[in-house]
Amino acid sequence: MREARHDLDLETLRRVVELLARARRIDVYGYGGSGFLAGETQHCLASLGVASVAYSDPTLQMVSAPRLTAEDVLFVLSFSGRTSYLISNMEIAKKAGARIVSISAGGSVVASLADENINLNA
């Protein structure tokens, strides 16, 4: 918990919250254990009155990614920051114009592809 607190950049967190609050649509991607967390994130957002869709299947992510626009946010969860399925689908969403936020290991590929990353260096 101390490491997570130390890694948390409050300015980055503020920017992430702002992006999520302004989004027309939020898609949440995760794979494996992070796929479970994507579903939990969808439920948490719903409890705040924010509509979102969670995808843990890479094929469904690949279908949703090109349909995201500059008004949308892709929220990516990845413990390792190296999951190839997530990386390729993030690239598709980025080409479509979506803003991308992630919770992933600092310095990882996922973090580098995101517009904003909340470091999770566990």
Side-chain angles (χ1 to χ4, degrees), residues 68-116:
L68 295 171
T69 71
E71 297 176 341
D72 305 322
V73 171
L74 172 58
F75 191 176
V76 178
L77 306 170
S78 177
F79 184 75
S80 71
R82 301 180 309 230
T83 307
S84 60
Y85 295 122
L86 290 174
I87 291 166
S88 61
N89 289 325
M90 287 175 74
E91 290 170 340
I92 294 168
K94 190 176 268 294
K95 285 180 186 172
R99 300 297 307 261
I100 301 175
V101 299
S102 62
I103 299 178
S104 190
S108 67
V109 177
V110 165
S112 68
L113 285 171
D115 296 297
E116 298 289 346

Side-chain angles (χ1 to χ4, degrees), residues 5-114:
R5 184 172 165 234
H6 176 70
D7 286 343
L8 184 61
D9 178 350
L10 294 179
E11 185 58 28
T12 299
L13 181 61
R14 183 194 64 74
R15 289 190 303 266
V16 166
V17 169
E18 191 173 302
L19 284 170
L20 293 172
R22 288 186 297 164
R24 176 187 66 98
R25 169 180 165 177
I26 301 172
D27 282 8
V28 186
Y29 291 2
Y31 185 72
S34 298
F36 170 78
L37 292 176
E40 288 298 307
T41 301
Q42 178 184 355
H43 295 300
C44 289
L45 290 170
S47 72
L48 296 171
V50 178
S52 64
V53 179
Y55 296 102
S56 58
D57 180 291
T59 304
L60 293 176
Q61 293 170 2
M62 190 171 31
V63 170
S64 84
R67 286 159 182 76
L68 295 171
T69 71
E71 297 176 341
D72 305 322
V73 171
L74 172 58
F75 191 176
V76 178
L77 306 170
S78 177
F79 184 75
S80 71
R82 301 180 309 230
T83 307
S84 60
Y85 295 122
L86 290 174
I87 291 166
S88 61
N89 289 325
M90 287 175 74
E91 290 170 340
I92 294 168
K94 190 176 268 294
K95 285 180 186 172
R99 300 297 307 261
I100 301 175
V101 299
S102 62
I103 299 178
S104 190
S108 67
V109 177
V110 165
S112 68
L113 285 171

